[in-house]
């Protein structure tokens, strides 16, 4: 019975992307006392807030998720939280901080060999490099991301990364 609030919180955070419902899922996750559930709910809440344009609150929530995951020693998902911080900062125009957080995320993902999060962080850094006109860096990061997307057989992630490589090619006049 002690797991019921946690199970309900996870179900809510996967079914709904409404902020109020995710706030309720957060309350239930806190009540359950399960850090994995809480970190998952916080991450989904951060994504929803970011999509709604509330980047300030999204950043706070992503950092909460990071702290919970750090307390658990979940390095792989710490990388996920930091990459979400990076992407939110990037979308808000804070490129320097975004680069710092994405670099940290990539380092953590590489440390534990998590290909999914290596892909995500390398792709984020590629986008940041591309936006800054650092085409060689962007190309190298997108190629690294693509390798990992292919290794985990994630066709959707590979397609996203190929768009990045195509953008580099378009900006530099290269052929793919």
């Amino acid at each position: 019975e002690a797991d019921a609030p946690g199970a309900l919180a996870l179900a809510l955070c996967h079914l709904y992307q409404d902020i109020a419902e995710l706030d309720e899922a957060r309350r239930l996750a806190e009540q359950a006392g399960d850090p994995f559930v809480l970190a998952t709910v916080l991450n989904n809440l951060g994504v929803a807030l970011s999509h709604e344009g509330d980047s300030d609150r999204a950043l706070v929530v992503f950092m909460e998720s990071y702290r919970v995951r750090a307390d658990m020693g979940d390095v792989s998902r710490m990388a996920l939280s930091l990459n979400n911080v990076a992407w939110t900062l990037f979308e808000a125009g804070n490129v320097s901080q975004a680069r710092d957080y994405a670099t940290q995320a990539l380092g953590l993902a590489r440390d534990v060999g998590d290909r999914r999060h290596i892909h995500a962080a390398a792709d984020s850094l590629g986008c940041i490099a591309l936006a800054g006109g650092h085409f060689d860096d962007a190309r190298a990061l997108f190629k690294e991301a693509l390798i990992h997307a292919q290794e985990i057989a994630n066709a959707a992630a590979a397609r996203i990364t190929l768009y990045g490589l195509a953008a580099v090619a378009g900006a530099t006049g290269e052929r793919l």
Side-chain angles (χ1 to χ4, degrees), residues 115-128:
R115 289 183 170 103
R116 183 169 60 112
H117 293 116
I118 293 171
H119 165 266
D123 194 76
S124 293
L125 278 168
C127 291
I128 293 165

mmCIF file with all atom_site columns, all heavy atoms in Angstrom, residues 115-128:
data_model
loop_
_atom_site.group_PDB
_atom_site.id
_atom_site.type_symbol
_atom_site.label_atom_id
_atom_site.label_alt_id
_atom_site.label_comp_id
_atom_site.label_asym_id
_atom_site.label_entity_id
_atom_site.label_seq_id
_atom_site.pdbx_PDB_ins_code
_atom_site.Cartn_x
_atom_site.Cartn_y
_atom_site.Cartn_z
_atom_site.occupancy
_atom_site.B_iso_or_equiv
_atom_site.pdbx_formal_charge
_atom_site.auth_seq_id
_atom_site.auth_comp_id
_atom_site.auth_asym_id
_atom_site.auth_atom_id
_atom_site.pdbx_PDB_model_num
ATOM 1   N N   . ARG A 1 115 ? 24.733 5.339  -23.874 1.00 0.00 ? 115 ARG A N   1
ATOM 2   C CA  . ARG A 1 115 ? 24.650 5.801  -25.268 1.00 0.00 ? 115 ARG A CA  1
ATOM 3   C C   . ARG A 1 115 ? 23.454 6.712  -25.519 1.00 0.00 ? 115 ARG A C   1
ATOM 4   O O   . ARG A 1 115 ? 23.544 7.652  -26.300 1.00 0.00 ? 115 ARG A O   1
ATOM 5   C CB  . ARG A 1 115 ? 24.606 4.597  -26.200 1.00 0.00 ? 115 ARG A CB  1
ATOM 6   C CG  . ARG A 1 115 ? 25.924 3.878  -26.261 1.00 0.00 ? 115 ARG A CG  1
ATOM 7   C CD  . ARG A 1 115 ? 25.857 2.731  -27.264 1.00 0.00 ? 115 ARG A CD  1
ATOM 8   N NE  . ARG A 1 115 ? 27.169 2.211  -27.495 1.00 0.00 ? 115 ARG A NE  1
ATOM 9   C CZ  . ARG A 1 115 ? 27.620 1.081  -26.965 1.00 0.00 ? 115 ARG A CZ  1
ATOM 10  N NH1 . ARG A 1 115 ? 26.834 0.362  -26.184 1.00 0.00 ? 115 ARG A NH1 1
ATOM 11  N NH2 . ARG A 1 115 ? 28.841 0.672  -27.222 1.00 0.00 ? 115 ARG A NH2 1
ATOM 12  N N   . ARG A 1 116 ? 22.340 6.422  -24.888 1.00 0.00 ? 116 ARG A N   1
ATOM 13  C CA  . ARG A 1 116 ? 21.138 7.248  -25.109 1.00 0.00 ? 116 ARG A CA  1
ATOM 14  C C   . ARG A 1 116 ? 21.392 8.685  -24.656 1.00 0.00 ? 116 ARG A C   1
ATOM 15  O O   . ARG A 1 116 ? 21.052 9.636  -25.362 1.00 0.00 ? 116 ARG A O   1
ATOM 16  C CB  . ARG A 1 116 ? 19.948 6.650  -24.368 1.00 0.00 ? 116 ARG A CB  1
ATOM 17  C CG  . ARG A 1 116 ? 18.651 7.407  -24.601 1.00 0.00 ? 116 ARG A CG  1
ATOM 18  C CD  . ARG A 1 116 ? 17.463 6.637  -24.077 1.00 0.00 ? 116 ARG A CD  1
ATOM 19  N NE  . ARG A 1 116 ? 17.545 6.378  -22.658 1.00 0.00 ? 116 ARG A NE  1
ATOM 20  C CZ  . ARG A 1 116 ? 16.742 6.927  -21.749 1.00 0.00 ? 116 ARG A CZ  1
ATOM 21  N NH1 . ARG A 1 116 ? 15.800 7.760  -22.110 1.00 0.00 ? 116 ARG A NH1 1
ATOM 22  N NH2 . ARG A 1 116 ? 16.878 6.646  -20.480 1.00 0.00 ? 116 ARG A NH2 1
ATOM 23  N N   . HIS A 1 117 ? 22.006 8.837  -23.492 1.00 0.00 ? 117 HIS A N   1
ATOM 24  C CA  . HIS A 1 117 ? 22.241 10.188 -22.987 1.00 0.00 ? 117 HIS A CA  1
ATOM 25  C C   . HIS A 1 117 ? 23.476 10.834 -23.608 1.00 0.00 ? 117 HIS A C   1
ATOM 26  O O   . HIS A 1 117 ? 23.557 12.062 -23.682 1.00 0.00 ? 117 HIS A O   1
ATOM 27  C CB  . HIS A 1 117 ? 22.270 10.174 -21.458 1.00 0.00 ? 117 HIS A CB  1
ATOM 28  C CG  . HIS A 1 117 ? 20.932 9.844  -20.887 1.00 0.00 ? 117 HIS A CG  1
ATOM 29  N ND1 . HIS A 1 117 ? 20.704 8.713  -20.148 1.00 0.00 ? 117 HIS A ND1 1
ATOM 30  C CD2 . HIS A 1 117 ? 19.734 10.459 -21.000 1.00 0.00 ? 117 HIS A CD2 1
ATOM 31  C CE1 . HIS A 1 117 ? 19.427 8.660  -19.811 1.00 0.00 ? 117 HIS A CE1 1
ATOM 32  N NE2 . HIS A 1 117 ? 18.821 9.709  -20.324 1.00 0.00 ? 117 HIS A NE2 1
ATOM 33  N N   . ILE A 1 118 ? 24.433 10.000 -24.078 1.00 0.00 ? 118 ILE A N   1
ATOM 34  C CA  . ILE A 1 118 ? 25.533 10.558 -24.873 1.00 0.00 ? 118 ILE A CA  1
ATOM 35  C C   . ILE A 1 118 ? 24.945 11.169 -26.142 1.00 0.00 ? 118 ILE A C   1
ATOM 36  O O   . ILE A 1 118 ? 25.293 12.290 -26.524 1.00 0.00 ? 118 ILE A O   1
ATOM 37  C CB  . ILE A 1 118 ? 26.598 9.499  -25.223 1.00 0.00 ? 118 ILE A CB  1
ATOM 38  C CG1 . ILE A 1 118 ? 27.334 9.035  -23.964 1.00 0.00 ? 118 ILE A CG1 1
ATOM 39  C CG2 . ILE A 1 118 ? 27.584 10.054 -26.262 1.00 0.00 ? 118 ILE A CG2 1
ATOM 40  C CD1 . ILE A 1 118 ? 28.242 7.828  -24.191 1.00 0.00 ? 118 ILE A CD1 1
ATOM 41  N N   . HIS A 1 119 ? 24.046 10.420 -26.794 1.00 0.00 ? 119 HIS A N   1
ATOM 42  C CA  . HIS A 1 119 ? 23.411 10.957 -28.001 1.00 0.00 ? 119 HIS A CA  1
ATOM 43  C C   . HIS A 1 119 ? 22.740 12.293 -27.716 1.00 0.00 ? 119 HIS A C   1
ATOM 44  O O   . HIS A 1 119 ? 22.951 13.274 -28.419 1.00 0.00 ? 119 HIS A O   1
ATOM 45  C CB  . HIS A 1 119 ? 22.367 9.989  -28.574 1.00 0.00 ? 119 HIS A CB  1
ATOM 46  C CG  . HIS A 1 119 ? 21.488 10.682 -29.561 1.00 0.00 ? 119 HIS A CG  1
ATOM 47  N ND1 . HIS A 1 119 ? 20.285 11.240 -29.215 1.00 0.00 ? 119 HIS A ND1 1
ATOM 48  C CD2 . HIS A 1 119 ? 21.681 10.975 -30.873 1.00 0.00 ? 119 HIS A CD2 1
ATOM 49  C CE1 . HIS A 1 119 ? 19.769 11.838 -30.278 1.00 0.00 ? 119 HIS A CE1 1
ATOM 50  N NE2 . HIS A 1 119 ? 20.580 11.681 -31.294 1.00 0.00 ? 119 HIS A NE2 1
ATOM 51  N N   . ALA A 1 120 ? 21.923 12.316 -26.664 1.00 0.00 ? 120 ALA A N   1
ATOM 52  C CA  . ALA A 1 120 ? 21.146 13.528 -26.380 1.00 0.00 ? 120 ALA A CA  1
ATOM 53  C C   . ALA A 1 120 ? 22.043 14.728 -26.087 1.00 0.00 ? 120 ALA A C   1
ATOM 54  O O   . ALA A 1 120 ? 21.827 15.824 -26.621 1.00 0.00 ? 120 ALA A O   1
ATOM 55  C CB  . ALA A 1 120 ? 20.203 13.270 -25.204 1.00 0.00 ? 120 ALA A CB  1
ATOM 56  N N   . ALA A 1 121 ? 23.063 14.527 -25.259 1.00 0.00 ? 121 ALA A N   1
ATOM 57  C CA  . ALA A 1 121 ? 23.928 15.649 -24.896 1.00 0.00 ? 121 ALA A CA  1
ATOM 58  C C   . ALA A 1 121 ? 24.804 16.081 -26.071 1.00 0.00 ? 121 ALA A C   1
ATOM 59  O O   . ALA A 1 121 ? 25.001 17.288 -26.292 1.00 0.00 ? 121 ALA A O   1
ATOM 60  C CB  . ALA A 1 121 ? 24.778 15.277 -23.685 1.00 0.00 ? 121 ALA A CB  1
ATOM 61  N N   . ALA A 1 122 ? 25.328 15.117 -26.824 1.00 0.00 ? 122 ALA A N   1
ATOM 62  C CA  . ALA A 1 122 ? 26.138 15.472 -27.993 1.00 0.00 ? 122 ALA A CA  1
ATOM 63  C C   . ALA A 1 122 ? 25.290 16.213 -29.029 1.00 0.00 ? 122 ALA A C   1
ATOM 64  O O   . ALA A 1 122 ? 25.744 17.180 -29.646 1.00 0.00 ? 122 ALA A O   1
ATOM 65  C CB  . ALA A 1 122 ? 26.775 14.231 -28.607 1.00 0.00 ? 122 ALA A CB  1
ATOM 66  N N   . ASP A 1 123 ? 24.053 15.779 -29.198 1.00 0.00 ? 123 ASP A N   1
ATOM 67  C CA  . ASP A 1 123 ? 23.149 16.461 -30.130 1.00 0.00 ? 123 ASP A CA  1
ATOM 68  C C   . ASP A 1 123 ? 22.861 17.888 -29.653 1.00 0.00 ? 123 ASP A C   1
ATOM 69  O O   . ASP A 1 123 ? 22.872 18.823 -30.456 1.00 0.00 ? 123 ASP A O   1
ATOM 70  C CB  . ASP A 1 123 ? 21.849 15.665 -30.282 1.00 0.00 ? 123 ASP A CB  1
ATOM 71  C CG  . ASP A 1 123 ? 21.049 16.130 -31.473 1.00 0.00 ? 123 ASP A CG  1
ATOM 72  O OD1 . ASP A 1 123 ? 21.427 15.775 -32.615 1.00 0.00 ? 123 ASP A OD1 1
ATOM 73  O OD2 . ASP A 1 123 ? 20.051 16.854 -31.264 1.00 0.00 ? 123 ASP A OD2 1
ATOM 74  N N   . SER A 1 124 ? 22.618 18.054 -28.357 1.00 0.00 ? 124 SER A N   1
ATOM 75  C CA  . SER A 1 124 ? 22.392 19.402 -27.813 1.00 0.00 ? 124 SER A CA  1
ATOM 76  C C   . SER A 1 124 ? 23.612 20.285 -28.039 1.00 0.00 ? 124 SER A C   1
ATOM 77  O O   . SER A 1 124 ? 23.486 21.429 -28.484 1.00 0.00 ? 124 SER A O   1
ATOM 78  C CB  . SER A 1 124 ? 22.079 19.339 -26.316 1.00 0.00 ? 124 SER A CB  1
ATOM 79  O OG  . SER A 1 124 ? 20.841 18.720 -26.089 1.00 0.00 ? 124 SER A OG  1
ATOM 80  N N   . LEU A 1 125 ? 24.788 19.752 -27.722 1.00 0.00 ? 125 LEU A N   1
ATOM 81  C CA  . LEU A 1 125 ? 26.010 20.533 -27.942 1.00 0.00 ? 125 LEU A CA  1
ATOM 82  C C   . LEU A 1 125 ? 26.222 20.833 -29.419 1.00 0.00 ? 125 LEU A C   1
ATOM 83  O O   . LEU A 1 125 ? 26.718 21.911 -29.772 1.00 0.00 ? 125 LEU A O   1
ATOM 84  C CB  . LEU A 1 125 ? 27.222 19.792 -27.377 1.00 0.00 ? 125 LEU A CB  1
ATOM 85  C CG  . LEU A 1 125 ? 27.447 19.952 -25.884 1.00 0.00 ? 125 LEU A CG  1
ATOM 86  C CD1 . LEU A 1 125 ? 28.484 18.951 -25.389 1.00 0.00 ? 125 LEU A CD1 1
ATOM 87  C CD2 . LEU A 1 125 ? 27.856 21.377 -25.543 1.00 0.00 ? 125 LEU A CD2 1
ATOM 88  N N   . GLY A 1 126 ? 25.834 19.902 -30.285 1.00 0.00 ? 126 GLY A N   1
ATOM 89  C CA  . GLY A 1 126 ? 25.920 20.161 -31.723 1.00 0.00 ? 126 GLY A CA  1
ATOM 90  C C   . GLY A 1 126 ? 25.033 21.323 -32.140 1.00 0.00 ? 126 GLY A C   1
ATOM 91  O O   . GLY A 1 126 ? 25.449 22.188 -32.913 1.00 0.00 ? 126 GLY A O   1
ATOM 92  N N   . CYS A 1 127 ? 23.828 21.352 -31.607 1.00 0.00 ? 127 CYS A N   1
ATOM 93  C CA  . CYS A 1 127 ? 22.912 22.468 -31.905 1.00 0.00 ? 127 CYS A CA  1
ATOM 94  C C   . CYS A 1 127 ? 23.468 23.790 -31.402 1.00 0.00 ? 127 CYS A C   1
ATOM 95  O O   . CYS A 1 127 ? 23.381 24.820 -32.087 1.00 0.00 ? 127 CYS A O   1
ATOM 96  C CB  . CYS A 1 127 ? 21.541 22.204 -31.280 1.00 0.00 ? 127 CYS A CB  1
ATOM 97  S SG  . CYS A 1 127 ? 20.616 20.866 -32.050 1.00 0.00 ? 127 CYS A SG  1
ATOM 98  N N   . ILE A 1 128 ? 24.033 23.758 -30.217 1.00 0.00 ? 128 ILE A N   1
ATOM 99  C CA  . ILE A 1 128 ? 24.619 24.970 -29.636 1.00 0.00 ? 128 ILE A CA  1
ATOM 100 C C   . ILE A 1 128 ? 25.795 25.442 -30.486 1.00 0.00 ? 128 ILE A C   1
ATOM 101 O O   . ILE A 1 128 ? 25.917 26.638 -30.787 1.00 0.00 ? 128 ILE A O   1
ATOM 102 C CB  . ILE A 1 128 ? 25.029 24.715 -28.166 1.00 0.00 ? 128 ILE A CB  1
ATOM 103 C CG1 . ILE A 1 128 ? 23.782 24.490 -27.306 1.00 0.00 ? 128 ILE A CG1 1
ATOM 104 C CG2 . ILE A 1 128 ? 25.878 25.865 -27.628 1.00 0.00 ? 128 ILE A CG2 1
ATOM 105 C CD1 . ILE A 1 128 ? 24.056 23.892 -25.931 1.00 0.00 ? 128 ILE A CD1 1
#
